């Protein structure tokens, strides 16, 4: 597991995202032993903006994906919880429909370098 430092902040390698198409998502797992762990996902919006969130529903704590790497609705416009169908805005993780309405997914700070994503260690 590669750790890099950028502007005094340490980031840990997560997953390749260079070929991630618009309106799609990909999961990652980071385990740093006694330093912590993180289950998360990155999504690419239609305009190719990349976003990262922890993979747990603010209502139940359950994983959001209903299939491997599948976090988004069929049209790719929203994140949808696999357990109860709550809907979240991709832009900010805010729930707008479902039992956790008004709550938000936990956004992760990250960088992308040469097609690889790196998660801020302070978020793990």
């Amino acid at each position: 597991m590669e750790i890099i430092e950028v502007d005094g902040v340490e980031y840990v390698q997560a997953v390749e995202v260079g070929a991630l198409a618009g309106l799609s998502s990909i999961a990652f797992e980071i385990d740093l032993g006694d330093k912590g762990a993180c289950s998360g996902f990155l999504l690419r919006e239609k305009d190719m903006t990349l976003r990262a969130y922890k993979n747990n529903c603010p209502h139940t704590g359950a994983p959001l994906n209903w299939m491997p790497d599948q976090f988004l609705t069929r049209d790719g416009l929203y994140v949808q919880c696999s357990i109860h169908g709550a809907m979240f805005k991709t832009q900010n993780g805010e729930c707008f429909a479902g039992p956790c309405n008004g709550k938000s997914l936990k956004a992760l700070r990250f960088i992308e370098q040469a097609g690889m994503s790196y998660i801020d260690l302070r978020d793990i």
Side-chain angles (χ1 to χ4, degrees):
M1 183 132 335
E2 181 182 4
I3 295 178
I4 63 171
E5 185 176 322
V6 177
D7 297 328
V9 177
E10 288 186 316
Y11 297 85
V12 61
Q13 183 177 340
V15 66
E16 169 70 43
V17 292
L20 190 62
L23 304 176
S24 62
S25 55
I26 189 167
F28 66 84
E29 296 286 333
I30 297 171
D31 186 353
L32 298 172
D34 60 349
K35 293 183 179 182
C38 180
S39 176
F41 66 100
L42 288 106
L43 64 88
R44 188 141 345 243
E45 295 182 291
K46 185 176 182 178
D47 69 359
M48 300 306 284
T49 300
L50 191 61
R51 305 208 186 265
Y53 295 102
K54 284 198 171 185
N55 184 13
N56 59 357
C57 178
H59 176 237
T60 65
L64 294 160
N65 51 317
W66 45 279
M67 290 177 46
D69 297 327
Q70 187 57 51
F71 296 87
L72 303 176
T73 55
R74 288 183 193 246
D75 60 11
L77 298 178
Y78 304 104
V79 175
Q80 185 172 19
C81 179
S82 65
I83 301 297
H84 50 64
M87 304 281 280
F88 303 87
K89 297 176 184 176
T90 59
Q91 301 88 350
N92 59 15
E94 179 186 350
C95 181
F96 65 91
C100 50
N101 194 15
K103 295 184 180 179
S104 294
L105 301 176
K106 168 67 174 134
L108 299 171
R109 293 170 287 195
F110 71 96
I111 59 172
E112 179 183 357
Q113 288 188 349
M116 181 61 68
S117 62
Y118 297 85
I119 304 298
D120 189 324
L121 278 174
R122 296 173 294 182
D123 289 341
I124 295 182

